[in-house]
Amino acid sequence: MSEVIVITSGKGGVGKTTVTANIGTGLAKLDQKVVLVDTDIGLRNLDVVMGLENRIVYNLVDVIEGNCRMKQALIKDKRYPNLYLLPAAQTRDKSAVTPEQMIKLTDDLRESFDYILLDCPAGIEQGFKNAIAGADRAIVVTTPEVSAIRDADRIIGLLEANEIRKTDLLINRLRVDMVRRGDMMSVDDVVEILAVNLLGAIPDDESVVVATNQGEPLAGNDEMAGMAFLNICRRVTGEAVPLMDFSKGKGFLSKVSGLFKKH
Amino acid sequence: MIGWNLFHRRNSGCIAKERLRGMLLSDRTNCSYDTMDMIKKDFRRTIEKYLEIDAKDIEVRLEIADETGQGVNNVKTIQIKGL
């Protein structure tokens, strides 16, 4: 059974595109057949994070308008045999497609893929409505900051109103050192405020910036963020994986409540 | 408001959490901060009308209930401080 998952947040810049690229890559590493769809028409970035920006010929809008077949638009990632990208158009805007067209598109993709990941644009307007139209479930990305959480709450409400059957939370850019000092809300704090199921957390990690510079998603590598992403991918497939301890150094009061909860 | 001056930088995370609670309550109920204050004020006045207590000794908190249910066991008891 294919799953169509929309990765959304409300707030811009919290890491939706990075999360989409890395969950997609991680799922492909776990031998799933994955297609990443960039629905941010006019401001495409998923191709950049994936390092596939120089291979775009056709895009999402071309497929919907019938200018090409789906197969011509899909970019096969040479690093992973089961990973494909459907890029957004750069010279159009969100009004170029309708929710109904998106539903048809995702239904077409269901025939060939285990996971269809939709990278949703920021906001709650047409772009958001298009992205959630065909989705079975949603991953809401937030950082542990006031503005991001407020927007995430609004998005969660909208997802519920649109009858998305499963919504999970991903907390990005967690700074364990700041949490310990009391200068950042903890994973537990955020989950308590938003009252939605936690999919996982990604620590703030310089290697993410490096990965984007190089166009090489880091899911599954040895860095903290890479391992955290792979754990998240396992949870997406239904596996129960305990939350990582992100604090460095031993002998810490790092095993605080919540960090080692069995999922 | 006794606690406000005692918050210092170390607890900015706690401040954030409290502020968020207020924001989400306001957003979800579509109720401005002013209206929420008026609700609390009216609540205190009503209690004061019927009970031997000063309005200033009553703390009113508005919270979002995560779960709702029917029946006696689901009715939240209102704790009135100072009684």
Side-chain angles (χ1 to χ4, degrees):
Chain A
M1 267 297 286
S2 308
E3 282 207 287
V4 177
I5 309 177
V6 61
I7 289 103
T8 183
S9 66
K11 185 103 174 51
V14 299
K16 292 179 289 304
T17 302
T18 306
V19 164
T20 307
N22 281 287
I23 293 186
T25 301
L27 286 170
K29 281 189 172 177
L30 296 172
D31 285 327
Q32 303 294 323
K33 286 181 3 205
V34 185
V35 61
L36 309 177
V37 182
D38 190 352
T39 70
D40 201 346
I41 301 171
L43 289 173
R44 70 178 174 211
N45 272 306
L46 191 49
D47 56 310
V48 169
V49 177
M50 290 300 297
L52 301 172
E53 72 278 4
N54 57 354
R55 296 193 37 214
I56 299 178
V57 179
Y58 293 107
N59 61 62
L60 168 82
V61 177
D62 288 324
V63 174
I64 286 177
E65 291 185 340
N67 301 334
C68 70
R69 284 168 291 124
M70 177 70 83
K71 217 169 162 205
Q72 292 173 289
L74 288 174
I75 300 168
K76 190 177 154 90
D77 190 321
K78 291 174 178 157
R79 298 163 291 202
Y80 305 99
N82 296 324
L83 183 58
Y84 290 78
L85 168 69
L86 180 61
Q90 187 68 326
T91 58
R92 306 286 293 272
D93 61 52
K94 274 51 163 193
S95 61
V97 308
T98 66
E100 292 72 34
Q101 288 167 329
M102 285 302 298
I103 294 174
K104 181 168 187 310
L105 182 103
T106 50
D107 281 349
D108 281 343
L109 289 169
R110 279 179 203 269
E111 289 171 22
S112 322
F113 294 98
D114 299 318
Y115 288 98
I116 297 129
L117 303 187
L118 302 166
D119 184 14
C120 180
I124 51 173
E125 302 81 17
Q126 188 64 35
F128 170 74
K129 290 176 189 166
N130 288 341
I132 66 170
D136 300 319
R137 55 188 280 204
I139 296 174
V140 174
V141 180
T142 186
T143 62
E145 285 153 317
V146 177
S147 307
I149 296 172
R150 188 189 199 171
D151 285 3
D153 189 67
R154 180 99 161 86
I155 286 290
I156 291 166
L158 287 171
L159 290 168
E160 258 170 47
N162 282 282
E163 293 172 351
I164 299 289
R165 64 165 177 81
K166 182 167 158 59
T167 297
D168 294 303
L169 182 69
L170 191 155
I171 299 172
N172 199 17
R173 297 214 196 95
L174 188 72
R175 294 267 313 263
V176 182
D177 52 334
M178 289 186 73
V179 173
R180 212 175 300 118
R181 292 196 315 254
D183 276 334
M184 180 176 273
M185 285 176 278
S186 67
V187 169
D188 279 348
D189 287 334
V190 179
V191 172
E192 188 190 319
I193 291 168
L194 291 173
V196 77
N197 182 55
L198 177 70
L199 181 62
I202 309 284
D204 198 30
D205 194 334
E206 287 183 354
S207 62
V208 176
V209 177
V210 172
T212 305
N213 289 344
Q214 296 171 331
E216 294 278 349
L218 46 65
N221 75 3
D222 294 336
E223 309 278 350
M224 288 244 248
M227 294 193 289
F229 269 119
L230 201 62
N231 285 353
I232 281 170
C233 293
R234 292 212 159 94
R235 293 187 202 117
V236 167
T237 63
E239 213 182 304
V241 183
L243 283 169
M244 269 172 76
D245 172 9
F246 296 128
S247 52
K248 297 159 191 160
K250 303 169 200 248
F252 251 155
L253 282 172
S254 51
K255 294 161 176 59
V256 292
S257 64
L259 282 180
F260 268 133
K261 266 207 280 260
K262 190 107 174 89
H263 188 69
Chain B
M1 289 282 115
I2 190 176
W4 201 250
N5 297 329
L6 299 182
F7 279 136
H8 51 96
R9 198 184 154 269
R10 302 192 90 231
N11 285 325
S12 70
C14 292
I15 297 173
K17 202 173 171 186
E18 279 310 304
R19 288 178 63 212
L20 261 168
R21 285 212 174 97
M23 279 179 229
L24 296 198
L25 182 58
S26 174
D27 285 351
R28 287 186 198 175
T29 58
N30 202 23
C31 191
S32 70
Y33 282 81
D34 279 345
T35 308
M36 289 197 287
D37 281 344
M38 289 197 296
I39 291 174
K40 291 183 193 177
K41 207 166 162 186
D42 285 354
F43 196 82
R44 277 196 287 270
R45 283 218 190 104
T46 306
I47 301 277
E48 198 184 33
K49 205 164 127 187
Y50 294 101
L51 295 169
E52 286 294 334
I53 186 170
D54 276 332
K56 62 174 171 51
D57 292 330
I58 302 170
E59 183 188 328
V60 181
R61 293 183 137 212
L62 297 176
E63 284 173 9
I64 299 167
D66 280 329
E67 288 160 31
T68 52
Q70 296 196 316
V72 157
N73 292 333
N74 287 298
V75 174
K76 218 169 160 84
T77 334
I78 302 171
Q79 300 286 59
I80 301 177
K81 287 175 118 178
L83 275 187

